[in-house]
Amino acid sequence: MRIAVLGGDGYCGWATALYLSSKGHTVAIVDNFARRQWDHELGVQTLTPIRPLTERLKTWYELTGKVIELFVGDVSEYDFISSVMKSFEPEAVVHFAEQRSAPYSMIDHKHAVFTQVNNVVGTLNLLFAVREIDPDCHIVKLGTMGEYGTPNIDIEEGYLTIEHNGRTDTLPFPKQPGSFYHLSKVHDSHNIMFTCKVWGLRATDLNQGVVYGTVTDEVLMDEALINRFDYDEVFGTVLNRFCAQAAIGSPLTVYGKGGQTRGFLDIRDTVRCIELACLNPAKRGEFRVFNQFTEQFSVLELAQAVKSVAKEMGLRVEIDHLPDPRVEAESHYYNAKHSKLADLGLEPHLLSNSLVDSLINIALQYRDRIDPALFTPQVNWRAARNERRTGNV
Ligand code: NAD
């Protein structure tokens, strides 16, 4: 297939672009390097020293003979994304190109507005470009499990059948997101659903859980293909952060009681889920929702798993409970369905001690690049201004 990967210089996008290319698909990456700029803005860096995208792509070509085309530009500019659609003619567009950090979106007014404009306008541009240039093109959009929040009932995959005053209907599952970032994803979902209905577009919304890991078969092929490993309080996902903390003997920072339970998945499953969605497209007019995660854990369970693996490796690690900077339930009911991708053939890589061991080993390998100051949560949901390290967006 011809697949455009928007956000292909990022954590999930880079792994996905290489995986799809290795499977024989014709791939193009679209990115404006905004994420590298946000790292500069916050004074943070990925634990792993990622190379410039052009160098990554050159290495991939030298190793495999496969060309990944590159389009550098901003998805939130309509003329740019419509010219990509015209020139590359994708059969599927995988849309990762958004600002994806909840704390970043909660820094202050500027960051909240930026997040929502970047994300909502980017997706809206893509919808219009697909309608104008090729309404048959399948949109595979990355949403998040955070769109649902933590309701006191089971979470379904996108839709809920309810009975009300003697009548029954199947409706979008209620959304109770927990940050301006998660809200941007809800707004995206509504816009995509609307355009499937009125223009007959076809789309799959992948409500992804929290991704962990950094290694896929493809990035292992050469040091120059190494993927991001974010560990800071703004962009670091929780398991990656705990492994970096364990590597330098810094306490694992659990927010509040640590009963916050979420869906998680290995990055090797992210890339496979994307391919499955592309190979099995939604029908014209269909807005399909898959919950893309493989297991659920509480934050405290993950901290305990990292602590116990670290101990076996001879590392002493404590768990610190910090006041929760976020406004969220610290212990709650959580049971989310996730069978649709398994039905399409996903065989999950479940979290094992050996995976945690390998993540801690990666963190040990690059431990000189770890700045412990970046572990401390600085962005507080209750404050209207959190621009300690920032101010220039
Ligand atoms: P990332 O920040 O590593 O990558 C996003 C990429 O998109 C970056 O390379 C960035 O430069 C690019 N980008 C952002 N805005 C752009 C724009 N306007 N034009 C062009 N390029 C732009 O993020 P990630 O962790 O790879 O996440 C990818 C997607 O998956 C996001 O939409 C995110 O919401 C979703 N997701 C991620 C996770 C996770 O755990 N990482 C979990 C759930 C959902």
Side-chain angles (χ1 to χ4, degrees), residues 6-14 30-36 38 73-77 80 95-101 114 118-119 122 141-145 181 185 206-212 228 230 235 237 265:
L6 314 188
D9 188 46
Y11 172 50
C12 301
W14 176 238
V30 179
D31 208 296
N32 65 349
F33 307 123
R35 178 54 205 283
R36 293 181 188 243
W38 302 329
D74 188 336
V75 177
S76 70
E77 286 170 13
F80 168 69
H95 182 16
F96 290 109
E98 297 203 331
Q99 191 301 98
R100 67 106 170 125
S101 160
F114 171 78
N118 186 62
N119 295 0
K141 166 67 171 48
L142 269 292
T144 156
M145 287 300 293
Y181 152 69
K185 294 288 191 180
L206 296 171
N207 283 341
Q208 182 166 243
V210 184
V211 186
Y212 58 80
R228 305 188 69 96
D230 297 304
F235 281 103
T237 58
L265 75 164

Side-chain angles (χ1 to χ4, degrees), residues 6 74-82 85 95 117-133 139 191 199:
L6 314 188
D74 188 336
V75 177
S76 70
E77 286 170 13
Y78 183 71
D79 291 347
F80 168 69
I81 190 63
S82 86
M85 288 295 299
H95 182 16
V117 170
N118 186 62
N119 295 0
V120 176
V121 173
T123 295
L124 208 46
N125 285 347
L126 175 64
L127 295 168
F128 270 89
V130 167
R131 179 183 82 148
E132 183 192 322
I133 292 144
I139 296 166
N191 286 341
W199 299 336

Side-chain angles (χ1 to χ4, degrees), residues 7 10 43 52 73 75 106 108 110 135 154 158 178 231 253 321 338 364 368 370:
V75 177
M106 297 299 291
D108 60 6
K110 265 193 294 192
D154 292 347
Y231 68 90
T253 44
H321 288 264
H338 56 109
L364 284 169
D368 292 348
I370 298 176

Side-chain angles (χ1 to χ4, degrees), residues 64-352:
T64 64
K66 292 176 191 298
V67 175
I68 296 180
E69 274 189 63
L70 172 59
F71 296 86
V72 177
D74 188 336
V75 177
S76 70
E77 286 170 13
Y78 183 71
D79 291 347
F80 168 69
I81 190 63
S82 86
S83 76
V84 171
M85 288 295 299
K86 278 183 198 136
S87 129
F88 184 65
E89 300 182 332
E91 296 162 82
V93 176
V94 183
H95 182 16
F96 290 109
E98 297 203 331
Q99 191 301 98
R100 67 106 170 125
S101 160
Y104 190 91
S105 76
M106 297 299 291
I107 291 175
D108 60 6
H109 165 261
K110 265 193 294 192
H111 291 77
V113 170
F114 171 78
T115 298
Q116 295 214 350
V117 170
N118 186 62
N119 295 0
V120 176
V121 173
T123 295
L124 208 46
N125 285 347
L126 175 64
L127 295 168
F128 270 89
V130 167
R131 179 183 82 148
E132 183 192 322
I133 292 144
D134 180 11
D136 214 32
C137 175
H138 179 206
I139 296 166
V140 177
K141 166 67 171 48
L142 269 292
T144 156
M145 287 300 293
E147 292 183 42
Y148 300 119
T150 55
N152 201 30
I153 57 171
D154 292 347
I155 295 172
E156 302 296 322
E157 294 198 68
Y159 296 92
L160 178 68
T161 301
I162 55 172
E163 204 188 296
H164 181 63
N165 294 343
R167 300 182 64 81
T168 298
D169 203 353
T170 298
L171 301 169
F173 195 92
K175 305 286 176 78
Q176 302 182 78
S179 72
F180 289 118
Y181 152 69
H182 290 102
L183 278 155
S184 75
K185 294 288 191 180
V186 173
H187 305 329
D188 283 342
S189 295
H190 286 143
N191 286 341
I192 303 168
M193 183 175 179
F194 177 71
T195 57
C196 288
K197 189 165 77 180
V198 298
W199 299 336
L201 301 189
R202 57 170 99 227
T204 303
D205 205 3
L206 296 171
N207 283 341
Q208 182 166 243
V210 184
V211 186
Y212 58 80
T214 187
V215 166
T216 51
D217 288 346
E218 294 72 39
V219 306
L220 268 183
M221 287 167 70
D222 194 285
E223 176 85 13
L225 300 177
I226 200 165
N227 200 355
R228 305 188 69 96
F229 185 127
D230 297 304
Y231 68 90
D232 62 281
E233 54 112 12
V234 173
F235 281 103
T237 58
V238 63
L239 183 62
N240 291 359
R241 191 179 77 231
F242 286 161
C243 291
Q245 289 172 322
I248 59 161
S250 191
L252 311 184
T253 44
V254 168
Y255 299 165
K257 296 192 189 94
Q260 302 90 332
T261 303
R262 303 286 185 266
F264 288 82
L265 75 164
D266 188 306
I267 190 151
R268 291 171 294 178
D269 292 335
T270 292
V271 303
R272 176 70 177 135
C273 289
I274 301 291
E275 190 191 26
L276 285 170
C278 292
L279 293 175
N280 301 278
K283 295 193 276 293
R284 285 294 299 266
E286 184 186 10
F287 175 66
R288 199 171 58 165
V289 183
F290 296 162
N291 291 346
Q292 179 169 311
F293 72 97
T294 59
E295 291 174 280
Q296 55 183 59
F297 299 102
S298 74
V299 170
L300 187 57
E301 282 170 337
L302 288 179
Q304 283 161 342
V306 171
K307 183 177 174 178
S308 116
V309 173
K311 196 171 166 204
E312 282 167 29
M313 296 170 72
L315 300 166
R316 277 182 52 134
V317 185
E318 300 304 326
I319 295 176
D320 250 9
H321 288 264
L322 306 181
D324 193 342
R326 304 181 178 208
V327 176
E328 61 186 356
E330 291 178 20
S331 55
H332 54 87
Y333 178 78
Y334 198 78
N335 184 33
K337 303 279 173 65
H338 56 109
S339 59
K340 291 188 181 172
L341 283 156
D343 293 345
L344 289 179
L346 176 68
E347 290 172 13
H349 297 82
L350 299 181
L351 184 62
S352 61

Side-chain angles (χ1 to χ4, degrees), residues 25-73:
H25 301 291
T26 303
V27 176
I29 284 180
V30 179
D31 208 296
N32 65 349
F33 307 123
R35 178 54 205 283
R36 293 181 188 243
Q37 289 302 323
W38 302 329
D39 282 355
H40 289 314
E41 178 206 354
L42 297 171
V44 304
Q45 62 177 355
T46 144
L47 176 66
T48 43
I50 57 169
R51 305 285 172 87
L53 183 56
T54 44
E55 186 183 335
R56 290 170 140 187
L57 295 176
K58 187 164 161 275
T59 304
W60 180 245
Y61 174 69
E62 285 164 2
L63 288 170
T64 64
K66 292 176 191 298
V67 175
I68 296 180
E69 274 189 63
L70 172 59
F71 296 86
V72 177

